[in-house]
Amino acid sequence: MATRQTFSGAGAESGQELADAASVLLLAAFTGHHNAACSGWLEAEGRAAEKALAGSHNLDMSWSGADIRHGKLHVSVGTAHLALKNSGADANAALSFDGVSVSGMTAQSLMPSTASASFSLPSDELASLMAATAGKSASLPAVHATIHSLTAQRDTIVLSGNGRATLTGETGSTSAGGHLEVRDISALIDRARQDNQMKLAAALILARMVSHKITDGNAWDTTWEGGILTVNGVPLPLK
């Protein structure tokens, strides 16, 4: 449910369908729920979004007062915003969340209260990204995204970074690499311990040991491949 939803960039008929698709993507992103029955519809709406962008129509979607429930999981979002712009062969995207609170999940205190990302991907891969995000395609088409900036914050803990990723909708077959910085990693380690996430706490301690010190915190060059996170050449035991 949401108190308010707005959409612009397409006609009334196609706009409502694209708005519905964007809402399904939002739900899937927060709940981690993928449904094979959604794949075909999402891919079709993705093609409609690609056509709109090719016609120089920028797409803009926002939600306020969103309330998401899935089993025991409860997510409240003050505002969420997604904007897509045509940039030649690529689509540029900006995504942001504010006022996020989460309950009913493991390590809920580690979830950020605000997050934003700026990224781009080939325009003709937008449909595949939508299908992979909330659908469950057997073929797992690869989507190649460039993350220009990524920021997530919870109290004094701030994670930021940039890089590239190949997304498929399945963690084990997704890969990524780039630069990552964390401010106040000690507080993040303490939160992991408080939530009884001891493997994560140990991994963060190891990551801190191999990090590069910067003015406001710690920095790493990272890769994610085959479900394994490698930080400055050191694989971390997240499983």
Side-chain angles (χ1 to χ4, degrees):
M1 300 180 64
T3 303
R4 181 177 174 82
Q5 172 183 294
T6 63
F7 179 86
S8 64
E13 184 175 348
S14 61
Q16 184 58 58
E17 285 288 316
L18 285 173
D20 289 343
S23 293
V24 170
L25 295 177
L26 175 71
L27 287 171
F30 275 104
T31 64
H33 183 67
H34 302 267
N35 193 322
C38 292
S39 298
W41 171 66
L42 285 170
E43 186 169 0
E45 291 307 311
R47 298 301 176 202
E50 291 174 2
K51 184 177 179 180
L53 290 173
S56 299
H57 296 287
N58 296 330
L59 303 178
D60 192 282
M61 182 81 185
S62 65
W63 303 262
S64 61
D67 189 73
I68 301 167
R69 296 178 184 270
H70 179 64
K72 295 181 179 181
L73 176 66
H74 180 203
V75 182
S76 296
V77 184
T79 58
H81 180 237
L82 171 65
L84 292 171
K85 295 183 179 181
N86 180 23
S87 179
D90 291 338
N92 289 335
L95 178 65
S96 63
F97 300 100
D98 290 299
V100 180
S101 63
V102 182
S103 62
M105 65 169 290
T106 303
Q108 59 196 36
S109 71
L110 297 176
M111 295 296 292
S113 56
T114 64
S116 63
S118 171
F119 62 96
S120 61
L121 70 157
S123 296
D124 59 2
E125 292 185 358
L126 180 58
S128 296
L129 176 61
M130 291 175 63
T133 300
K136 199 170 185 180
S137 173
S139 61
L140 293 177
V143 177
H144 306 87
T146 299
I147 300 99
H148 304 291
S149 66
L150 170 68
T151 303
Q153 181 170 359
R154 173 87 180 240
D155 300 325
T156 60
I157 304 167
V158 181
L159 180 150
S160 60
N162 57 78
R164 294 179 179 273
T166 300
L167 311 171
T168 65
E170 292 288 344
T171 303
S173 55
T174 292
S175 62
H179 183 74
L180 180 67
E181 297 181 3
V182 175
R183 187 172 70 199
D184 203 357
I185 191 174
S186 295
L188 184 59
I189 293 170
D190 288 342
R191 284 179 182 271
R193 286 170 169 163
Q194 291 166 10
D195 282 350
N196 202 32
Q197 299 297 303
M198 303 314 294
K199 285 188 177 180
L200 176 58
L204 289 169
I205 292 171
L206 181 59
R208 182 171 58 181
M209 291 173 60
V210 299
S211 69
H212 305 299
K213 287 293 294 180
I214 57 175
T215 303
D216 294 330
N218 304 77
W220 304 263
D221 292 314
T222 64
T223 60
W224 173 268
E225 188 80 38
I228 298 175
L229 177 66
T230 301
V231 179
N232 288 350
V234 179
L236 300 183
L238 295 182
K239 292 184 177 182

